[in-house]
Amino acid sequence: MDSPELTDGFHLILDALKLNGIDTIYGVAGIPVTDLMRLAVQEGMRYYGFRHESNACFAAQIAGYLTQVPGVCMTVSGPGFLNGMVAMANATTNCFPMILISGSSERHIIDLEQGDYEELDQMHAAKPYAKASYRVNRPEDIGVGVARAIHAACSGRPGGVYLDIPAAVIGAAMDQEAGRQSLIKVIDRAPAQIPSPDSVKRALDLLSNAKRPLVILGKGAAYAQADQAIRRFIEDSGIPYLPMSMAKGLLPDDHAQCAAAARSYSIGEADVVMLVGARLNWLLAHGKARPWTGNAQLIQLDIAATEMDSNIPIAAPVVGDIRSSIALISAGFERKERPEWKQWMATIAEKRSKNVERMAKTLAQEPSPMTFSSCLRAVRDVLADHRDVYVVNNGANTLDFGRNILNMYEPRQRLDCATWGTMGIGMGFSVGAATVSGKPVVAVLGDSEFGFSGMELETICRFRLPIVVVILNNSGIYQGDDPGSAPSPTGLIHGARYDRLIEAFGGVGYHATDTTDVTEALKRAIRDGKPAVINCVIDPKAGTESGHITNLNPKSSLTP
Ligand code: ADP
Ligand code: TZD
Ligand code: MG
């Protein structure tokens, strides 16, 4: 008798991913997933091997954010899994869809704590930080496990999902046909969630009675990929809007209705604020502290019902997906002349011009050494001619100045630490963005931020990715120490030549001491399309402690 054709966990995992349109894996190899990665490559999937799981996991989640298909990160058990967990928590906090798949050790040894190789109860360890955490205990359940992970990652509010696959299951064989039939092609990853007609009417009533309405666009709006509908609603209504950092570019930053350069004024004076995929968290002072004045009634468009009233009362909650919600609000919105709104927009535009003028004066200065402002102005001007570039921006001052100075013109092309203030996203996000978009990436990073993931320079050189890392090197976290003094808690080494690090891997290093250097180097690096580092020497005293959130930093009243 012929022996039956067999398949095994290795093949079933990859088949389940491929069946669901997942063709890329980010990870770090080792027991028990090494052969899984080899097989993935053999079967035509893209595998990007990193130097640390955190960075692989950051790459996966930003791929998920950009494509709405969950990014997949794969790690070994125990420490490799835990290395990925900070990034997985970051995905959940930021509502990015991703799946972390880790191999795990022998269940019967783990559960009796008998000391297996890389022993850890990973499924339970992941639970507090994941939107969902599952374990597959039999090869015939791999299909269900992957399908459930996809649903959990993408439906409703997206997030990070953990999928635990013990080594024994990865290696286990089963009948090939039964295995094939056990796989599931997910029909609808993120079902539309239509808001109730009542909720839409309530929002429209509030809006039409407003005198000074304001829209705040968050990264939930960017994620929803309802770009045209959002733009049309804003333009048809004439309402001024503010983009949260990763919503920049949803409408171009130089749009006539952009209120970003009059942010405090517009929030403080608005009588109705419509939040579109933005939470009232610390980034919006919880809707309570300055610039909020208690003047505004709120409309909130969000897919998560539990988000409503989380900080202050929401007068018109609209629970649904943004594509559906915006379509209904847009359809119900009465288009007519509203002189009051025009006047309001004009006042904002006037404030904005004044602020822009003031900022232009600062930006035009050429101090030596460079400041954040002068260096970023040079970066801004080069990027204005390269609007397909994805910008990853992180650090403290580097982030705060970068958010204000670097203009975005296209949706979802600005990526940063966002909700959690996480340092270390720089290189992972860059790899994720480069690999899913095929476009050049310019990562504008603080020297401390870069250090969290700097070894991935080797990764970008190995895969020859078009990533240019611009390091704003002020010799420290927020500020640098005086030359020659003992290292302080915030100081980093003076005169560090980050440009030389990438040369070790065959990439191109540039050392920039003035804005002409920055301009020339960035132009060349983007044109070459090869991995590069531009080490920009910034005045160590140019930054402020904690950047723009000094108010969150406790200070002892007892020490001088
Ligand atoms: P930002 O940091 O830009 O202000 P947040 O991360 O705070 O944005 O808020 C994003 C919000 O968008 C979350 O509350 C999330 O539930 C919501 N969201 C994500 N995707 C969608 C979607 N497709 N439709 C509606 N809301 C969404
Ligand atoms: N660790 C992690 C994971 N996240 C953090 N946010 C911090 C530590 C604390 N931290 C910040 O909040 S910003 C920052 C750290 C270490 C680095 C700031 O230095 P930088 O930027 O060089 O990146 P600037 O331009 O010097 O301000
Ligand atoms: Mg720094």
Side-chain angles (χ1 to χ4, degrees):
M1 208 175 79
D2 287 347
S3 59
E5 296 271 345
L6 294 177
T7 185
D8 60 12
F10 289 99
H11 290 83
L12 288 168
I13 293 167
L14 300 179
D15 290 348
L17 294 175
K18 283 193 288 186
L19 184 64
N20 285 290
I22 294 167
D23 61 1
T24 306
I25 297 172
Y26 306 90
V28 178
I31 298 170
V33 291
T34 312
D35 268 1
L36 194 52
M37 292 158 174
R38 288 207 181 98
L39 187 64
V41 176
Q42 271 172 31
E43 296 207 342
M45 293 177 81
R46 299 193 300 172
Y47 175 76
Y48 292 97
F50 282 72
R51 306 300 295 260
H52 192 289
E53 290 84 354
S54 204
N55 305 322
C57 205
F58 284 129
Q61 67 197 244
I62 215 62
Y65 168 74
L66 291 171
T67 61
Q68 299 180 333
V69 177
V72 168
C73 175
M74 201 173 275
T75 80
V76 303
S77 35
F81 154 82
L82 274 182
N83 271 347
M85 280 307 293
V86 167
M88 242 266 299
N90 187 71
T92 304
T93 307
N94 278 287
C95 320
F96 297 153
M98 72 157 292
I99 304 171
L100 172 63
I101 300 177
S102 299
S104 58
S105 321
E106 294 290 338
R107 284 249 47 82
H108 59 280
I109 304 182
I110 297 173
D111 288 352
L112 276 172
E113 296 184 14
Q114 292 174 308
D116 203 359
Y117 172 70
E118 299 192 334
E119 173 182 296
L120 184 71
D121 181 358
Q122 296 165 196
M123 181 184 72
H124 287 103
K127 280 205 191 270
Y129 310 107
K131 191 177 161 197
S133 177
Y134 305 117
R135 181 184 297 129
V136 174
N137 286 301
R138 308 180 305 171
E140 60 266 41
D141 291 334
I142 286 172
V144 168
V146 169
R148 299 211 62 186
I150 292 171
H151 281 296
C154 299
S155 63
R157 171 182 282 176
V161 176
Y162 176 60
L163 191 60
D164 193 74
I165 312 193
V169 178
I170 299 177
M174 68 178 285
D175 175 74
Q176 193 178 54
E177 182 51 26
R180 199 181 60 75
Q181 285 183 18
S182 72
L183 300 184
I184 296 174
K185 183 170 166 57
V186 169
I187 302 301
D188 191 358
R189 285 194 305 271
Q193 288 186 212
I194 318 288
S196 79
D198 286 355
S199 71
V200 173
K201 180 168 184 313
R202 208 179 291 123
L204 285 167
D205 287 347
L206 193 56
L207 199 57
S208 57
N209 288 318
K211 297 184 166 51
R212 296 177 306 281
L214 175 72
V215 168
I216 299 182
L217 298 172
K219 64 178 172 301
Y223 174 75
Q225 298 194 12
D227 310 339
Q228 291 310 319
I230 289 172
R231 183 167 185 162
R232 213 172 314 124
F233 171 69
I234 300 243
E235 290 181 344
D236 285 357
S237 65
I239 302 177
Y241 74 94
L242 278 177
M244 299 300 289
S245 69
M246 282 176 58
K248 276 164 68 81
L250 204 42
L251 285 84
D253 276 339
D254 54 2
H255 194 281
Q257 286 165 256
C258 182
R263 185 177 188 275
S264 300
Y265 176 80
S266 44
I267 290 179
E269 293 296 314
D271 65 346
V272 171
V273 173
M274 179 162 131
L275 299 162
V276 184
R279 286 171 282 186
L280 280 176
N281 55 17
W282 66 280
L283 286 158
L284 280 170
H286 304 280
K288 294 177 193 167
R290 262 191 338 131
W292 298 87
T293 48
N295 286 336
Q297 286 194 287
L298 276 92
I299 302 169
Q300 183 162 21
L301 275 54
D302 203 292
I303 203 158
T306 49
E307 191 55 39
M308 303 303 160
D309 304 328
S310 58
N311 285 272
I312 58 168
I314 302 298
V318 181
V319 176
D321 75 276
I322 280 166
R323 180 181 283 275
S324 305
S325 301
I326 274 288
L328 288 172
I329 286 187
S330 212
F333 179 76
E334 192 191 346
R335 284 156 180 75
K336 62 172 189 192
E337 278 294 303
R338 290 182 171 82
E340 245 169 343
W341 289 20
K342 267 207 171 132
Q343 184 51 50
W344 160 238
M345 186 65 247
T347 313
I348 289 177
E350 203 177 303
K351 301 261 174 213
R352 184 184 60 199
S353 308
K354 280 197 188 123
N355 289 342
V356 168
E357 224 169 90
R358 192 152 13 116
M359 188 159 142
K361 278 192 192 130
T362 312
L363 290 178
Q365 288 166 11
E366 283 287 2
S368 178
M370 288 187 284
T371 57
F372 291 96
S373 295
S374 67
C375 181
L376 287 164
R377 182 248 304 151
V379 174
R380 176 197 70 183
D381 290 347
V382 175
L383 293 183
D385 295 329
H386 295 276
R387 297 192 177 189
D388 60 337
V389 163
Y390 280 69
V391 176
V392 177
N393 181 203
N394 212 27
N397 292 279
T398 304
L399 174 77
D400 293 331
F401 282 93
R403 188 170 44 229
N404 290 341
I405 296 173
L406 302 175
N407 290 329
M408 301 308 301
Y409 302 95
E410 298 292 335
R412 292 172 294 285
Q413 284 186 194
R414 180 189 160 83
L415 311 168
D416 64 33
C417 63
T419 310
W420 226 23
T422 312
M423 290 303 113
I425 55 98
M427 299 303 291
F429 276 18
S430 297
V431 174
T435 50
V436 298
S437 72
K439 296 278 163 52
V441 176
V442 172
V444 181
L445 309 178
D447 51 340
S448 164
E449 143 62 39
F450 167 73
F452 283 77
S453 62
M455 197 62 198
E456 305 300 345
L457 287 182
E458 188 274 335
T459 309
I460 67 170
C461 289
R462 186 164 18 105
F463 289 101
R464 299 192 175 91
L465 296 170
I467 297 172
V468 183
V469 187
V470 179
I471 299 173
L472 274 73
N473 184 358
N474 64 342
S475 312
I477 297 174
Y478 317 130
Q479 291 195 333
D481 295 334
D482 289 325
S485 61
S488 75
T490 52
L492 298 172
I493 210 161
H494 249 275
R497 292 294 298 269
Y498 295 106
D499 50 312
R500 290 187 182 154
L501 287 179
I502 197 165
E503 290 172 1
F505 310 115
V508 187
Y510 299 91
H511 184 59
T513 57
D514 61 27
T515 57
T516 311
D517 290 350
V518 175
T519 306
E520 291 309 314
L522 188 54
K523 277 186 184 166
R524 234 176 84 189
I526 293 175
R527 193 187 56 220
D528 290 351
K530 294 193 188 118
V533 166
I534 307 176
N535 179 53
C536 304
V537 181
I538 305 291
D539 183 350
K541 298 284 169 242
T544 48
E545 176 142 334
S546 308
H548 290 186
I549 47 173
T550 308
N551 59 315
L552 301 181
N553 195 32
K555 290 278 178 196
S556 169
S557 51
L558 304 179
T559 46

